[in-house]
Amino acid sequence: MAGSRLPRQLFLQGVAAVFMFAFASLYTQIPGLYGAEGILPARKTLRPQGKGRWQQLWETPTLLWEAPQLGLDTTQGLELLSLLGTLLALGALLLRQLRTLLVYLLLWAAYLSAYQVGQVFLYFQWDSLLLETGFLAVLVAPLRPRHHHKQAPQGGLAGALPHEDLPFWLVRWLLFRLMFASGVVKLTSRCPAWWGLTALTYHYETQCLPTPASWFTHHLPVWLHKLCVVATFLIEIAVPPLFFAPVRRLRLAAFYSQVLLQVLIIITGNYNFFNLLTLVLTTALLDDGHLTATPGNSHCKKTASSWPRTLLAVLSLLLEFTIYGLLAYGTVHYFGLEVDWEQHAVHSRTTFTFHQFSQWLKMVTLPTMWLGVASLTWELLTALWRWTQVRGWPRRLCTAVQLLIFGTATVALFVISLVPYSYMEPSTHGRLWTGAHRLFGTVEHLQLANSYGLFRRMTGLGGRPEVVLEGSYDGHRWVEIEFMYKPGNVSRPPPIVAPHQPRLDWQMWFAALGPHSHSPWFTGLVLRLLQGKEPVIRLIQNDVTKYPFHKQPPTYLRAQRYKYWFSHPGEQSQWWRRQWVEEFFPPVSLGDPTLDMLLRQFGLQDKSPPRARSSSNTLAQALHWVRRQLSPLEPSTLLWGLLAAVGAIRVVQALHSRPHSPRSSPPGKEEKHRPAPKKDSGAATKRAAPAPDNCTSSSQSPGRKK
């Protein structure tokens, strides 16, 4: 059985990297989104209700309750949490000694604290996914740092704790829930674009923030777009059950299919840290043997084997071929794939109905839960068997306590996750054990388990709706307000933004899908722009001089709704085409009755001014200094610079830790410092002797076993 030590380390590093990007991206936007002069001031979300301290913390779990104890307001406390979270995540990414339970608990608590006051700008599925993944990282991370010499080479069990693989299994279960539900909801939504396999003919130009590659991908042949939709359904619905396959090669095939999908999404869309986080989850499908395998040594395995092992290998191979055959047959049959040799195309169509799919979903939802139960039971039995191999009663007692705690936590989280997982099939949800519902209801506000379903419906089938803000000094001559990232100027190419998430630009995309009354925060945005508040202006243009009203705020502000389409090939200097649709927000000015009425309706009026904090507070002054130093940098540039710095440090670490070649030392010194042979060295030599000539032991490093 291959171990999972290296995948766990890879997972912990990946979670640290995602936390670093998430905290850094949020930090750059705090003043404009949540400051006293921001769109939705965070101080309004934390109002003491006269409850006890611990009850208040449990109902609204955020460390920002303690900000006044440090002489900070809510916004300054949020900035402090984001900065500390960025630095702590950076440390965990670079230093193995910091990848401990306590560090990941602090990262999770800090992001949960921000989530509680983030309001609509922090209510994205990937924020919930990061919180759920972050809590799993708390369980996966060791209690204290371990030294390399205590680790078993090649994933062996020596030095490994019996419970270590249990929390890591929950990562695989989370990946299954995420992908399977994302595929299922596309069909349960009855979206005609998904059922007609034409979703990708709209997706690239109607997604929130396209990339330059989106323009080129959009102009691919329609038959290829439809084939890609079929591949998406295959990867998201048919492949995820293979995450729990007993055959290792099936799990690896599932891993590479998921990686392929996420990489293609990264290339063709700016989805901040979401796809990176999904890639981090896929590490649960790997093992030490795969990560340490080298192509040159793949043929060095012993050929002699007992007949039960040979029979098992043959049965595994037959199972693989059977599953691949079923996947191929099901894809061709249910999506009517036909090769058109004359047109050099592959035609496809759905051959099943919504009723048939609903019956199939009702039939498989409960069995997928039992599949999870069976897989978890196997992990529990494996952990119990490993515990029986522990020697020494003191150590056995200690590992038994750890196994009991982490085993109970794993089972409890699995049971909790069944509730949101079953949302996609109502009848199964109603038949769940009532205890699971009660347990989920108790911890729901902690974001320990969530329901997922990305790209449920394809929007913008008749053109991409886009809101364009306009300002004026006289009410007659209007000037468009250009955002840094979202489409506006038809001649500007789509930017590359990830892993940064411009949260205002994202919400502008959602606002364009309906009337402005469905997005109350938009009225707050209009108010702050009429007031000329610089923190909000920096969300639109980080370089304030590029904002058309940087010298004096506009007297009037309005918003128009347009429809955008990608330009056709051959249209020079244009990436977009657009057409005016209607007025989105009426012209208003400060003191306008319409604006005042909307502010009262949505509770956005500042009834009580923020309490002034002492300017002599050293911590507040330090936060202000850091903000002043970083504010000139564009957020996406700041994150890419952070990524480049991490890459440079890792290169230096790798060069510093590289073992010196024996050739670099004089022969005399090499012999002088060579350790004396131990008594068992002869036995080790005898064990290595039967190896073939082309796989001699000299090609292996001394600390690694075959």
Side-chain angles (χ1 to χ4, degrees):
M1 182 186 303
S4 63
R5 178 178 63 85
L6 294 179
R8 288 200 306 272
Q9 285 298 318
L10 197 59
F11 168 74
L12 292 176
Q13 291 181 71
V15 172
V18 174
F19 267 125
M20 179 185 70
F21 290 136
F23 278 120
S25 175
L26 179 62
Y27 172 79
T28 63
Q29 305 172 77
I30 288 174
L33 295 179
Y34 306 118
E37 299 179 342
I39 300 173
L40 295 176
R43 64 185 177 86
K44 294 184 178 181
T45 62
L46 293 182
R47 298 188 184 276
Q49 303 294 331
K51 300 178 181 178
R53 184 177 183 180
W54 293 108
Q55 182 182 0
Q56 181 177 261
L57 184 62
W58 172 254
E59 293 180 357
T60 309
T62 174
L63 299 174
L64 295 175
W65 288 116
E66 306 301 320
Q69 306 298 325
L70 301 175
L72 304 176
D73 58 29
T74 304
T75 305
Q76 291 171 329
L78 187 57
E79 288 190 352
L80 179 61
L81 280 180
S82 299
L83 280 175
L84 293 178
T86 302
L87 294 176
L88 194 59
L90 176 62
L93 177 60
L94 296 175
L95 300 175
R96 184 188 184 97
Q97 292 78 6
L98 289 180
R99 294 178 210 138
T100 61
L101 183 149
L102 178 61
V103 169
Y104 286 93
L105 180 61
L106 291 174
L107 290 173
W108 174 79
Y111 205 75
L112 179 64
S113 300
Y115 180 86
Q116 296 298 323
V117 300
Q119 304 167 80
V120 69
F121 292 109
L122 220 60
Y123 290 170
F124 293 95
Q125 288 197 46
W126 35 84
D127 293 311
S128 299
L129 181 63
L130 178 56
L131 284 171
E132 186 171 351
T133 305
F135 191 79
L136 295 185
V138 174
L139 301 179
V140 172
L143 292 172
R144 59 181 183 274
R146 298 181 189 172
H147 301 289
H148 289 281
H149 68 271
K150 290 185 179 181
Q151 297 291 346
Q154 297 290 335
L157 299 181
L161 296 175
H163 73 271
E164 287 181 335
D165 284 342
L166 289 178
F168 198 47
W169 178 89
L170 287 172
V171 178
R172 189 187 307 180
W173 173 246
L174 172 57
L175 177 65
F176 170 79
R177 289 193 290 118
L178 171 68
M179 300 310 301
F180 188 72
S182 297
V184 164
V185 297
K186 292 177 175 62
L187 294 174
T188 56
S189 67
R190 300 196 184 197
C191 175
W194 286 116
W195 277 91
L197 307 181
T198 59
L200 293 184
T201 61
Y202 308 102
H203 166 74
Y204 299 110
E205 71 175 2
T206 61
Q207 60 183 321
C208 179
L209 296 176
T211 65
S214 304
W215 187 92
F216 296 96
T217 312
H218 174 74
H219 293 292
L220 291 174
V222 174
W223 69 264
L224 187 55
H225 283 306
K226 298 178 73 173
L227 194 62
C228 289
V229 173
V230 173
T232 300
F233 285 135
L234 177 67
I235 293 173
E236 291 186 345
I237 298 179
V239 170
L242 299 183
F243 297 169
F244 308 102
V247 180
R248 177 170 174 261
R249 284 191 295 267
L250 288 174
R251 296 195 301 272
L252 292 178
F255 165 78
Y256 284 109
S257 68
Q258 302 302 318
V259 169
L260 174 63
L261 177 62
Q262 298 307 317
V263 169
L264 291 176
I265 296 175
I266 290 173
I267 294 173
T268 58
N270 287 294
Y271 290 96
N272 49 82
F273 57 79
F274 166 64
N275 303 110
L276 176 60
L277 181 55
T278 307
L279 287 173
V280 171
L281 294 177
T282 61
T283 57
L285 303 177
L286 298 174
D287 54 51
D288 290 344
H290 185 67
L291 291 177
T292 58
T294 54
N297 292 332
S298 60
H299 62 284
C300 299
K301 299 179 180 180
K302 295 182 180 181
T303 56
S305 179
S306 59
W307 70 265
R309 192 178 296 270
T310 303
L311 178 61
L312 185 61
V314 172
L315 292 176
S316 299
L317 196 60
L318 289 175
L319 179 61
E320 283 185 70
F321 284 129
T322 302
I323 290 179
Y324 293 143
L326 288 174
L327 289 176
Y329 171 78
T331 304
V332 173
H333 176 72
Y334 289 108
F335 293 100
L337 298 186
E338 295 179 356
V339 179
D340 188 335
W341 299 105
E342 295 182 358
Q343 299 182 3
H344 303 286
V346 179
H347 300 298
S348 54
R349 69 186 191 282
T350 51
T351 61
F352 53 94
T353 64
F354 176 80
H355 176 73
Q356 290 173 328
F357 180 76
S358 299
Q359 292 299 116
W360 175 86
L361 183 61
K362 186 181 298 185
M363 182 178 64
V364 303
T365 302
L366 198 58
T368 56
M369 295 181 182
W370 285 111
L371 175 64
V373 171
S375 181
L376 178 56
T377 302
W378 174 259
E379 294 292 337
L380 289 169
L381 292 175
T382 303
L384 189 61
W385 176 81
R386 289 179 176 177
W387 176 77
T388 62
Q389 307 303 306
V390 176
R391 297 181 180 179
W393 282 107
R395 179 173 172 79
R396 175 171 286 194
L397 179 61
C398 180
T399 54
V401 173
Q402 291 179 334
L403 180 58
L404 178 63
I405 294 174
F406 284 92
T408 303
T410 301
V411 173
L413 286 174
F414 172 72
V415 172
I416 291 171
S417 70
L418 294 179
V419 178
Y421 171 67
S422 63
Y423 285 161
M424 62 183 180
E425 212 293 293
S427 63
T428 304
H429 178 74
R431 286 185 291 164
L432 271 183
W433 177 46
T434 55
H437 288 279
R438 288 197 299 268
L439 191 58
F440 174 74
T442 303
V443 299
E444 184 178 6
H445 64 295
L446 299 178
Q447 302 297 310
L448 300 184
N450 303 278
S451 60
Y452 303 101
L454 299 166
F455 306 108
R456 185 185 302 267
R457 295 188 66 88
M458 194 54 56
T459 59
L461 300 187
R464 171 198 182 95
E466 198 68 57
V467 172
V468 176
L469 278 166
E470 297 177 341
S472 173
Y473 290 121
D474 55 11
H476 299 288
R477 182 177 175 273
W478 296 89
V479 178
E480 291 189 10
I481 298 176
E482 183 80 7
F483 280 66
M484 281 188 290
Y485 306 116
K486 83 179 194 69
N489 186 345
V490 296
S491 300
R492 192 186 65 169
I496 297 178
V497 183
H500 172 57
Q501 181 184 0
R503 295 181 180 269
L504 176 59
D505 295 64
W506 268 88
Q507 286 299 336
M508 289 288 288
W509 181 80
F510 282 107
L513 301 178
H516 72 83
S517 58
H518 290 180
S519 304
W521 60 267
F522 190 85
T523 305
L525 171 65
V526 171
L527 173 66
R528 296 311 188 194
L529 293 181
L530 287 172
Q531 294 172 340
K533 300 301 183 182
E534 184 175 325
V536 178
I537 293 174
R538 286 188 176 275
L539 294 176
I540 296 174
Q541 285 292 343
N542 193 70
D543 184 356
V544 179
T545 60
K546 295 182 179 180
Y547 181 69
F549 303 98
H550 64 278
K551 294 182 179 179
Q552 180 183 349
T555 307
Y556 302 95
L557 209 65
R558 72 181 185 185
Q560 307 286 349
R561 197 198 313 266
Y562 284 82
K563 283 194 175 181
Y564 276 66
W565 298 270
F566 273 140
S567 62
H568 297 299
E571 295 183 29
Q572 296 181 352
S573 303
Q574 276 200 334
W575 289 82
W576 298 95
R577 296 176 293 114
R578 76 176 188 178
Q579 178 182 340
W580 181 85
V581 178
E582 61 184 351
E583 183 180 76
F584 179 78
F585 195 89
V588 294
S589 60
L590 289 177
D592 188 288
T594 302
L595 180 61
D596 292 341
M597 182 268 294
L598 290 173
L599 291 172
R600 286 194 304 271
Q601 178 182 344
F602 299 135
L604 297 175
Q605 284 184 319
D606 288 328
K607 297 180 180 179
S608 57
R611 289 178 295 177
R613 297 287 175 183
S614 174
S615 59
S616 61
N617 187 315
T618 305
L619 185 55
Q621 290 179 346
L623 290 172
H624 179 69
W625 181 85
V626 173
R627 172 67 63 186
R628 193 168 62 250
Q629 302 304 312
L630 296 179
S631 59
L633 294 175
E634 185 182 334
S636 59
T637 304
L638 177 63
L639 264 68
W640 278 106
L642 192 60
L643 179 61
V646 169
I649 295 174
R650 294 306 295 264
V651 169
V652 172
Q653 287 179 330
L655 293 176
H656 181 71
S657 61
R658 176 186 291 180
H660 296 287
S661 172
R663 297 179 184 177
S664 62
S665 303
K669 287 189 177 183
E670 184 182 346
E671 293 294 332
K672 181 178 178 180
H673 294 285
R674 182 176 295 172
K678 296 182 180 180
K679 293 182 180 181
D680 60 346
S681 61
T685 306
K686 290 180 182 179
R687 286 195 298 268
D693 293 339
N694 57 353
C695 295
T696 57
S697 59
S698 61
S699 65
Q700 302 289 332
S701 59
R704 292 174 60 180
K705 296 180 182 178
K706 281 296 292 175

